[in-house]
Amino acid sequence: MPVLGLPWWKKGVIYQIAVPSFADSDGDGMGDLRGIIDRLDYLNDGTSSSLGVDAVWLTPVNASPMRDFGYDVSDYREINPRFGSMRDFEELLDACHRRDMKVIMDMVLNHTSSEHPWFVESRSSRDNPRRDWYVWRDGRAQGKPPNRWLAVVEGSAWEYDATTRQYYYHAFLPFQPDLNWRNPQVREEMLGVAGFWLDKGVDGFRLDLINFLYEDELLRDNPRRFGLRPYDWQRHLYDRSRPESLEAARELRRLTDRYPDRAMMGEVYTDDPRDAVAYLGGGDDALHLSFYLDFAERKWKAEAFRDSVGWLEAHLPPWGWPCYYLNNHDLPRSYTRLGRGGDAEARAKVAAAMLLTLRGTPIIYYGEEIGMPASRVPRKRMDDPIGRKFWPLPVGRDGSRTPMQWNGEKNAGFTSGEPRLPVDLSCGDRNVERQDGDPGSLLNWYRSLIRLRGEKPALRAGSYRALAGTPKGVFAYLREAGEERIAVFLNFTAREVTLPGLEVVPERGVWRRLISTLGGDGDGVDLQRVRLRPDEALVLERA
Ligand code: GLC
């Protein structure tokens, strides 16, 4: 079967763990590595009673003052003591490997924390040897930053530093100064950091803002354009997706290829999906997987998701492989976002069926499998700097970072102490323990889908073809590998839908129900008369 030849990052399901929020072992209210070790059985214990994921992606675990959830690193070769020690990390790595699970580390290569000793030195004087490790420039006039580039979050991307009367560049928040990748010492150091963790045995990296590493050397201003938020009023021609950043991804790939079976997936922050495709390089020479926001930002419409998938399928190079997710630590949780205005539980099941039967590597975000909703975190408990800055605008990210809901006890079983963010009110009702015992739960639906994916080469490795002629509100596609044919029908509407005689495959044949949100597994189905019940996800296999 073709699936046997697939590398893990193509055939596996990735589970994203927000380390501060998953499980706290020592009662300080902060999730930690030991907490994750204690919960590995939940993720994969080798039997069908666990979730059955193949890899975990950990949000940043490096030393950090944690002013942005760890995306502000102060030492790349240390583990954040709030999460545990290097030995804990090694133990986690080992424990995962013994279960045949891979570990993907978040790597923040674009910027450091302003508390990183390199930056402390760099800002201390203009002639400090580390001055050029960051991007320093004179203003273009008194009180005017070097150019008009904007920070993703807000305002100018340049921050004035009174000590040396120059500006430094930060693509994100002011306490996240950008490293100067044009300095060969910086490049060498950061490649060294990647090598350090590869030597330790991590299986791959999630590369934060990979298309932001380099900016235009001449600091040319971006052309103006119309957009929704101020950052979008510019076409980001000169401050992101520069050719040198792709070159850096290639260099990282050459390093990674020296180790067996490792993979890199990159966050390509862009509004142009072609940028993300570009990071797959010219033929297995850049990132293994790249992702961008499009799929996760679509509204609850069959056509919207079909278009997103269709675009990617049509534009991927032959060596490219899709990667899909509905949630991450930056987005409002899909249970609420996609569920609004309908039956959220039923929609969550349809969404899961889509995520786990499409061609491409699926990423599940902790808590998604139990339908954790977008939480409302009161202002005084907010941790995310974006949430605090823009309050009362609901743009903060804490709502998708609340403690994992393990059980209905105090603090949802996340901690014995005071949790860093309040537990969501849904925890009594929506938690792992409760859903574990309910065959119809969302958790058991995820488990079944992951198991099915593991059993069916067509789902993991097969080709993808959208079925034409489906009625409005239905997304349907065929997955094929060898003789195996699987058809997926997703009803995005709350109405019953009858599909017209579908020319799915030239030969007819009997189709059998593999799984459906509404039960009835194993029944035979006539493809000329498929009937979908409201909010139903139905997966069929040709008998
Ligand atoms: C990425 C991360 C986000 C972080 C930002 C700055 O977009 O996903 O959480 O705040 O980079 O590192």
Side-chain angles (χ1 to χ4, degrees):
M1 277 294 170
V3 72
L4 291 178
L6 285 187
W8 64 268
W9 51 271
K10 281 189 173 175
K11 65 177 181 222
V13 176
I14 299 173
Y15 188 87
Q16 182 191 354
I17 295 181
V19 179
S21 311
F22 192 62
D24 171 24
S25 70
D26 58 8
D28 68 352
M30 173 71 85
D32 49 42
L33 300 176
R34 198 141 286 286
I36 300 174
I37 296 173
D38 294 343
R39 297 290 184 174
L40 286 179
D41 272 351
Y42 169 71
L43 298 178
N44 196 341
D45 70 357
T47 76
S48 60
S49 60
S50 75
L51 202 53
V53 296
D54 306 277
V56 289
W57 146 25
L58 309 175
T59 58
V61 293
N62 297 128
S64 158
M66 295 283 281
R67 290 177 67 192
D68 180 21
F69 214 52
Y71 289 91
D72 49 333
V73 174
S74 55
D75 190 336
Y76 288 93
R77 294 172 195 249
E78 284 297 341
I79 292 293
N80 185 342
R82 303 224 39 201
F83 298 150
S85 63
M86 188 64 88
R87 288 197 50 177
D88 294 329
F89 182 79
E90 287 161 357
E91 198 179 317
L92 172 60
L93 200 56
D94 206 43
C96 287
H97 288 165
R98 268 188 273 116
R99 289 162 196 262
D100 223 4
M101 279 167 78
K102 306 288 184 183
V103 177
I104 301 166
M105 245 185 133
D106 220 313
M107 269 287 136
V108 191
L109 301 176
N110 177 64
H111 50 263
T112 69
S113 157
S114 55
E115 292 173 41
H116 195 298
W118 301 337
F119 188 70
V120 174
E121 280 186 46
S122 182
R123 83 189 319 180
S124 67
S125 75
R126 286 197 189 200
D127 52 16
N128 184 279
R130 295 231 198 255
R131 183 67 170 180
D132 188 47
W133 277 47
Y134 294 83
V135 184
W136 290 98
R137 291 287 188 286
D138 290 328
R140 63 181 190 279
Q142 177 74 20
K144 287 206 162 154
N147 68 10
R148 296 198 177 83
W149 290 347
L150 297 171
V152 176
V153 177
E154 185 198 39
S156 169
W158 297 95
E159 185 81 358
Y160 185 68
D161 200 50
T163 323
T164 54
R165 296 192 311 280
Q166 276 194 315
Y167 289 81
Y168 68 86
Y169 178 71
H170 60 88
F172 217 69
L173 287 155
F175 59 80
Q176 291 163 313
D178 271 49
L179 283 162
N180 176 20
W181 272 75
R182 292 187 190 280
N183 180 327
Q185 288 176 338
V186 169
R187 223 179 41 235
E188 203 177 306
E189 173 63 30
M190 297 319 274
L191 286 164
V193 164
F196 173 84
W197 294 103
L198 289 168
D199 284 339
K200 251 192 204 312
V202 304
D203 302 284
F205 299 123
R206 178 264 186 190
L207 301 165
D208 190 62
L209 298 175
I210 186 67
N211 60 325
F212 276 59
L213 299 190
Y214 284 81
E215 301 78 39
D216 179 44
E217 205 167 11
L218 304 173
L219 303 193
R220 278 172 284 186
D221 271 320
N222 290 317
R224 290 174 203 270
R225 65 154 189 204
F226 180 71
L228 275 182
R229 44 176 202 148
Y231 184 70
D232 302 328
W233 296 348
Q234 298 188 349
R235 243 181 89 213
H236 293 279
L237 270 189
Y238 296 113
D239 54 349
R240 70 182 190 198
S241 302
R242 302 299 302 163
E244 296 94 326
S245 299
L246 176 54
E247 231 0 271
R250 287 208 161 96
E251 204 167 344
L252 282 159
R253 174 62 177 257
R254 286 192 287 275
L255 170 75
T256 312
D257 278 348
R258 286 198 228 133
Y259 299 78
D261 224 15
R262 313 295 166 97
M264 293 189 297
M265 53 187 212
E267 177 199 28
V268 181
Y269 188 83
T270 178
D271 45 21
D272 185 349
R274 285 171 304 184
D275 284 351
V277 168
Y279 275 82
L280 300 173
D284 274 347
D285 61 352
L287 302 185
H288 299 80
L289 297 171
S290 78
F291 49 78
Y292 57 109
L293 273 175
D294 187 70
F295 185 79
E297 283 191 324
R298 295 286 172 142
K299 299 254 179 324
W300 189 250
K301 275 202 167 123
E303 296 71 21
F305 285 101
R306 190 178 61 204
D307 289 352
S308 182
V309 173
W311 188 92
L312 191 57
E313 286 286 344
H315 289 83
L316 274 178
W319 58 90
W321 186 256
C323 174
Y324 295 111
Y325 60 97
L326 292 163
N327 290 286
N328 67 23
H329 59 292
D330 295 327
L331 293 167
R333 284 194 178 268
S334 62
Y335 191 82
T336 308
R337 181 166 40 85
L338 298 177
R340 202 169 285 132
D343 179 341
E345 186 76 12
R347 285 185 181 180
K349 287 185 175 171
V350 175
M354 172 171 68
L355 182 71
L356 291 160
T357 60
L358 278 171
R359 187 181 87 100
T361 303
I363 307 179
I364 298 171
Y365 181 56
Y366 87 97
E368 171 184 326
E369 71 280 17
I370 52 168
M372 277 172 60
S375 197
R376 277 172 197 266
V377 175
R379 189 185 185 189
K380 56 180 191 313
R381 295 291 305 270
M382 279 182 187
D383 177 55
D384 178 22
I386 297 182
R388 290 199 308 259
K389 185 187 273 282
F390 293 106
W391 186 90
L393 290 180
V395 291
R397 299 167 294 179
D398 289 321
S400 45
R401 300 173 177 183
T402 56
M404 175 67 176
Q405 295 166 196
W406 294 104
N407 56 41
E409 287 157 30
K410 188 160 182 272
N411 296 328
F414 163 73
T415 180
S416 58
E418 186 54 34
R420 54 175 287 278
L421 284 177
V423 169
D424 186 73
L425 293 174
S426 65
C427 69
D429 202 37
R430 318 197 63 79
N431 62 63
V432 169
E433 196 176 280
R434 188 151 180 179
Q435 294 195 22
D436 186 36
D438 170 6
S441 69
L442 188 58
L443 175 59
N444 280 316
W445 176 245
Y446 268 85
R447 287 173 175 160
S448 313
L449 287 165
I450 293 171
R451 202 179 323 129
L452 187 67
R453 192 180 168 90
E455 286 163 8
K456 301 289 175 192
L459 288 182
R460 284 195 286 184
S463 60
Y464 162 91
R465 177 152 63 88
L467 295 179
T470 49
K472 197 161 172 277
V474 174
F475 180 19
Y477 44 91
L478 197 68
R479 303 289 318 276
E480 293 177 271
E483 289 295 294
E484 197 171 78
R485 290 206 169 108
I486 293 181
V488 179
F489 297 90
L490 307 168
N491 184 359
F492 279 65
T493 77
R495 295 182 313 271
E496 186 175 298
V497 185
T498 313
L499 277 76
L502 283 171
E503 288 301 321
V504 176
V505 279
E507 338 84 88
R508 296 237 176 123
V510 183
W511 291 68
R512 172 171 83 84
R513 199 182 291 256
L514 280 178
I515 195 171
S516 152
T517 31
L518 299 168
D521 304 358
D523 306 350
V525 174
D526 179 358
L527 262 206
Q528 299 306 303
R529 233 169 304 154
V530 176
R531 186 171 62 90
L532 294 175
R533 286 163 289 177
D535 301 302
E536 184 178 6
L538 171 66
V539 183
L540 306 176
E541 179 179 20
R542 204 179 63 151

